[in-house]
Amino acid sequence: MKCKDTSKTALLKYGNLLTTNINNVLSGESSNKLDTSAIKMTTAQSTAQSNSLNSSPGVTLTLESTGAIFGILVSATILATIAIRVISKINSISTSISQIELSLKEQAANAEKIRHLEKTLDLHIQEYVNRKDVIQMVLGQLDQKINHKFKRLLFYTRDVQRFLQKDTNFNIREYEENTQEE
């Protein structure tokens, strides 16, 4: 126990000496003239005492080392938080890109369907126009046939009328356009 107490007192003396030297440097008294002899003596004593304490090795934490470790932990935590934010933003961007790709694929498929529908609509429109033209031609031909047959029938009836009027006193009545019941 005595060794541990002497190492503590040696460390306190060393710390006080360092504080004094730092204060002297800051105040500007003697920057070139540091009391290194006391530091060497205290260091030699603490080295000798630490060599005699080899039976119980341990970690000695000072306020400075604790502050440094705490600073490292805080910095690592901040870096980890930033890394997590960056990774989450990258993941959200990746998800957005995937959704956009799916939307584009779906839109491309819909555009292909629309092109196919437009082609079939064009075919149906052309087929309708062709049928309409054919029906108009057929109706025109029927109208011409009816007119032709009607004219032939009219000529035949006139021939029959003339024949009947020549040989007999047969009078043919004229056809009236407006037929009303009397």
Side-chain angles (χ1 to χ4, degrees), residues 125-137:
I125 288 173
Q126 187 62 39
E127 187 178 339
Y128 169 75
V129 168
N130 291 343
R131 283 184 182 176
K132 185 180 105 181
D133 291 343
V134 167
I135 289 173
Q136 285 179 346
M137 281 185 2

Side-chain angles (χ1 to χ4, degrees), residues 61-77:
L61 291 177
T62 63
L63 186 59
E64 291 174 356
S65 62
T66 307
I69 291 171
F70 184 69
I72 290 171
L73 289 175
V74 168
S75 298
T77 305

Side-chain angles (χ1 to χ4, degrees), residues 63-131:
L63 186 59
E64 291 174 356
S65 62
T66 307
I69 291 171
F70 184 69
I72 290 171
L73 289 175
V74 168
S75 298
T77 305
I78 290 172
L79 287 175
T81 305
I82 291 171
I84 288 172
R85 284 184 184 169
V86 168
I87 289 171
S88 66
K89 293 223 183 218
I90 289 173
N91 286 340
S92 68
I93 290 170
S94 175
T95 304
S96 297
I97 289 172
S98 298
Q99 290 174 348
I100 290 171
E101 284 177 350
L102 290 175
S103 297
L104 286 175
K105 286 179 184 178
E106 183 178 328
Q107 188 169 359
N110 289 339
E112 187 62 35
K113 287 178 184 178
I114 289 171
R115 270 190 237 112
H116 178 69
L117 288 174
E118 284 177 350
K119 285 180 185 178
T120 55
L121 180 64
D122 288 342
L123 289 174
H124 285 295
I125 288 173
Q126 187 62 39
E127 187 178 339
Y128 169 75
V129 168
N130 291 343
R131 283 184 182 176

Side-chain angles (χ1 to χ4, degrees), residues 15-36 39:
N16 289 337
L17 191 63
L18 278 176
T19 308
T20 313
N21 283 335
I22 290 173
N23 286 335
N24 287 341
V25 169
L26 291 176
S27 65
E29 284 181 8
S30 60
S31 58
N32 293 336
K33 193 172 133 185
L34 295 175
D35 192 10
T36 56
I39 294 174

